[in-house]
Amino acid sequence: MTTLFQPEKLLEITRSAVGQPVGQAFDTIVDAVDQEWPDRIRRDNPWLFNTACGAMGQLKLLYGSLSEYLILFGTPIGTEGHSGRYRADVHDFMIKGEMWTYHEGDIEKTIYLPGDHAVLERRRTKGYRAMEDTWMLEYARGAIPTMLPTGSWDNLFSNLDLKALFRLYGQYGSMCIRELLRGKI
């Protein structure tokens, strides 16, 4: 599996934007990612509501391939739910707010603040809570298509937001085709 992004560099980029107003932080992060990995980021994708494992937030898909994705994710009002269990590693780089997590068997929560890096290792799961006004850059590496049901089927079977579901699959599908044509798997 070939990969494009390095989590250490994404953390460095995210930390450079911490403390800025959230819209400005997004611009700083997207500009820096685009400079580091030219012509890979899609700036024009709209924000989409997404409900996954009971947690509702919104996301902006910046990059997608069969082996990686990069999104901005968050909520102005807070949310909580199950992380899902994936065949991929998921990295959350905190921009603003506070995220609480716990793994199976934990009796105390772990708190992540702006500038922190939370990792959900493949085949693990956790509960999480994003507090009010929490935003992050999320990067996943692994078998991304296997994540799609967990990450989107609440939109199909729970809240019936087919418009968001089709927009997400359309954006992700077009990005995968673009990367496959570039020779990226």
Side-chain angles (χ1 to χ4, degrees):
M1 169 181 60
T2 61
T3 57
L4 182 64
F5 301 101
Q6 292 86 41
E8 302 79 19
K9 186 63 179 177
L10 293 171
L11 177 60
E12 177 186 321
I13 288 169
T14 302
R15 285 182 173 163
S16 75
V18 168
Q20 298 176 0
V22 73
Q24 183 180 343
F26 293 155
D27 291 341
T28 298
I29 290 166
V30 171
D31 288 345
V33 170
D34 194 34
Q35 184 175 0
E36 186 72 24
W37 297 280
D39 301 319
R40 298 296 185 141
I41 300 302
R42 287 286 306 267
R43 296 171 177 266
D44 59 340
N45 282 337
W47 284 92
L48 303 173
F49 278 139
N50 191 62
T51 308
C53 299
M56 181 178 171
Q58 52 184 336
L59 66 85
K60 183 176 182 72
L61 185 58
L62 301 174
Y63 176 85
S65 73
L66 297 177
S67 58
E68 297 174 286
Y69 74 70
L70 187 65
I71 64 173
L72 294 170
F73 176 80
T75 172
I77 63 170
T79 192
E80 68 180 297
H82 188 285
S83 66
R85 191 181 306 266
Y86 307 112
R87 293 176 49 209
D89 296 318
V90 181
H91 300 262
D92 291 316
F93 307 99
M94 298 295 295
I95 300 168
K96 184 176 182 183
E98 188 171 314
M99 180 174 65
W100 299 355
T101 69
Y102 65 98
H103 292 276
E104 293 171 314
D106 288 352
I107 57 173
E108 294 188 22
K109 66 183 177 259
T110 301
I111 299 173
Y112 295 94
L113 301 170
D116 287 345
H117 176 196
V119 180
L120 176 64
E121 297 89 2
R122 63 188 69 220
R123 302 190 196 289
R124 291 204 64 204
T125 187
K126 65 183 174 186
Y128 79 96
R129 180 176 183 190
M131 306 304 279
E132 181 177 309
D133 205 17
T134 295
W135 301 94
M136 62 195 78
L137 178 69
E138 183 172 294
Y139 167 65
R141 175 187 287 177
I144 303 304
T146 65
M147 300 175 76
L148 292 174
T150 303
S152 63
W153 281 8
D154 276 2
N155 286 355
L156 176 62
F157 296 111
S158 178
N159 59 25
L160 304 177
D161 190 354
L162 300 179
K163 181 177 180 179
L165 181 71
F166 291 137
R167 288 168 68 193
L168 176 62
Y169 276 70
Q171 289 174 17
Y172 175 69
S174 70
M175 288 178 166
C176 285
I177 291 168
R178 180 177 145 185
E179 290 304 304
L180 286 168
L181 292 173
R182 288 179 169 212
K184 170 109 171 47
I185 296 176

